[in-house]
Amino acid sequence: MLATAKAASQTMPMSTSIPVAVALNNAGWHPAAWNVASDKGASVLDPAWWTALAQIADRGNVDFVTFEDALSREPRPEHAAIAAHSLRTDRLDAVLLANFLAARTERVGLIPTASSTHTEPFHVATAIQTLDHVSRGRAGLRTQVSALPSEYRLIGRRRAPEPIRFEDGKVILPTEIDALFDEARDAIEVARRIWDSWEDDAIIRDVSTWRFLDADKIHYADFVGEHFSVKGSSIVPRSPQGQPVVTVLGHFPRAWELGATSADVLFITPQSPSDAVRIISWTRQAEADVARALQPLHIYADLVVLLEDSGTAAEKEKAALDRQADGEWHSDARLVVGTASELIEHISLLVDAGITGVRLRPARSEQDLQRIVTDVIPGLESAGKHNATQAPPQTLRERLGLPEAINRYTIATQKAEVLS
Amino acid sequence: MSTENRRQVHLAAHFPGVNSTTIWSDPRHESQIDFSAFRHFAENAERGFFDYLFLAEGLRLREQKGRIFEADVAGRPNTLAVLAAVAAVTEHIGLVATLNSTINEPYELARQLSTLDYLSGGRAGWNVVTSPDAFHGANFRRGQFLDFDKRYQYADEVVALVKKFWAAAGQDDATVRYQDEYFDIDGELNLGQSPQGFPLIVQAGDSADGRDFAAKNADVIFSAHPGFDEGQEFYRDVKSRLAQWGRSEDSLKILPAATFVIGDNKADAEEKAHEISLAQTSPAVAISFLERVWGTDLSGLDPDGPLPDFDPVEPNVDIAAGRVRHILDPIQTGREWKELAETRGLSIRQLVATVGARQAFVGTPTEIAQEINRYVQERASDGFVIVGTHSPHGLDEFTEKIIPELQTIGTYRDSYDTNSLREHLGVRRFNTATRDLAEVPVPA
């Protein structure tokens, strides 16, 4: 009996069971996806449409959903070749959308994008804590730096850097990019301090001393940085997870380094399994170099997926969308146009290359999310690559195998007590 | 008098705040953080056909004597985030978010309020507050950058900019360009025209600048004048300022805050009101209240004993941070309070309960409903922002007992027959042709 179990675990080790996330981006990641969306893409402003998508993910064992965001309508650099008239660029604020959907879902993690360049770090930190309260522990944050000039002009406070460009498959970065990533690192640091600023037992409701709070259990963030300073503490009591899950998307070393210093999950865009090996090994070295204090970084591969019953049908759908986009579609992430089993095969290769999760970006939000839930996730489960979450609702940290986030001040107090 | 000619009562439900109105020592107080509390509070208010749910904004925990203030309820969610979640579990009730115009950026305000309007199907509103102090600024990028005297001028610009984004949204050219000493803006909202076009604007300040700001910009004033006579005076003053903006009297609603205490008869209700007022004035609350006027540490005093035998300190020291200051001359106020306490034989706690008394409707449900209706018919207000004393059940009794009485009187709705917050309140609505607010035609 024992021997059999051991043999089974060798062929199908638990460590290869990986979380599956879905990145929702308007009507889909293909710029012409709105053509095949409900209501010709007007649905992206309809809360009922978002509810339906979120509930499909919730019931379909997707581990978490991320929500893209941008302040302006400016096309992403990789969409430069797409005719402007074929883009639809309406976007609801992702943090508010996630809070709305938290009240209409039960299990799925919810990770909205927020800008570390423009949005107040204090507001982002408290809005994500609120998301964690509303969802009972399913919140995360995806921190994004802004390099789109149009976003700077909308806020109207600071000069935009030179834009990021993609040329011949290479990313051309402006010189100011390091400062933007330093600022993002600071914004995450502030969020993490704010999230711990109330110890779990700060609310005492002690009628004998007429104190609702124990002020000794509330701490200032006291963050002073080059780009901004935040006094703290939070206005929000510590949330169910304590530390919501922090994620970062990275295409180049400075962003991978941000993952290594600050994030729980890093999304990368490997074009092949060997590319994944290269990025992961760079990042693991960065974790050592920066003396990462957190648990080892989870590194997820981003894949853009367009799924049909056959490879031919998928290619045909993609060609039709490309024609509607009136230009050639490029993505920063590897495109998988084909069947669910082809995708599963590719994911298996990435798992072997060392990735610890995948974030699937549906080319068409409605159609491809449905495929992910009905074909890909069950397929990964039978291949032993994904654990169905039939357990009662749990926190996102638990679901992703992150350790419990014990409050830093509580730890400090306990250590002091041991020493004294 | 026919029902049609009578003025309709409007009500907002104030989620319990982080102040001593909320009695945390009451075992009925559960949580002001759990989402289930917000859900219950909103569902109850919706059962009572309230116009909107009102939520304050937290920018920093209050302090006194350089220390986080322990005696009151504290801790609340991010205002916009939790209202987005409340939108998901309600269908009709308006959702009004207090948001500071000094700290928040115009573009983000426009986009977030527009998002809330989409998520709620036309139920979003913005209560504009202006405090520009360094204490709150310390949590934000720009710190303190604005003089106190300029706060309304700046707020006026911010509201104008937000409206520009909203007015242009969804147009062929939706670009907003604006440049002055504070802003250099060029771009368009990445959303279409939200269901209301312009979410509702509420204003809460009381200075002359605040009243002018409201007359120009606001659809509702959250007023600080709850008494009947001063209410009528405030009502006349503010409504007389509307004509210069081409606005009708009914295009601005005045809603003061009020609590309520229900009893089996007047005497029973008054006894309960007295108990509530003492519960709101805990020994710690009483001493800290006095300290804010005296400007010094009074923790050595007995809350059940007499007032200090010395005057408030000079110069005027504000030992509290994160609160709106109402008392302009502490020395004078201190002397008046001492005289009052001596004349009536009041302890510190009793004095604070007396002078800190909130506007309250005290009586049977019928009496309370009649009194609310009298205010509205006689133009002392257009209704009230109702504040409970505990969360989340604080307004349950209002919905169960007082709402039916108002409905019997015939000046309160018995269903939501309008769709948007602007329609609930009967204030101006967005005109898609002029891209601005327009008076609602009075039905013939």
Side-chain angles (χ1 to χ4, degrees), chain A residues 90-132:
Chain A
D90 287 329
R91 271 180 204 283
L92 296 169
D93 178 279
V95 172
L96 298 186
L97 176 61
N99 273 278
F100 176 90
L101 295 172
R104 293 190 170 181
T105 50
E106 300 290 331
R107 295 162 185 274
V108 70
L110 301 163
I111 305 191
T113 300
S115 164
S116 58
T117 312
H118 300 299
T119 306
E120 286 287 352
F122 185 84
H123 283 328
V124 172
T126 60
I128 298 301
Q129 276 186 299
T130 302
L131 179 61
D132 208 38

Side-chain angles (χ1 to χ4, degrees), chain A residues 359-380:
Chain A
R359 187 174 74 141
L360 304 179
R361 304 182 188 176
R364 306 155 299 175
S365 295
E366 296 170 30
Q367 295 84 344
D368 294 310
L369 173 62
Q370 194 62 59
R371 290 269 175 186
I372 289 167
V373 163
T374 51
D375 299 339
V376 180
I377 289 178
L380 282 168

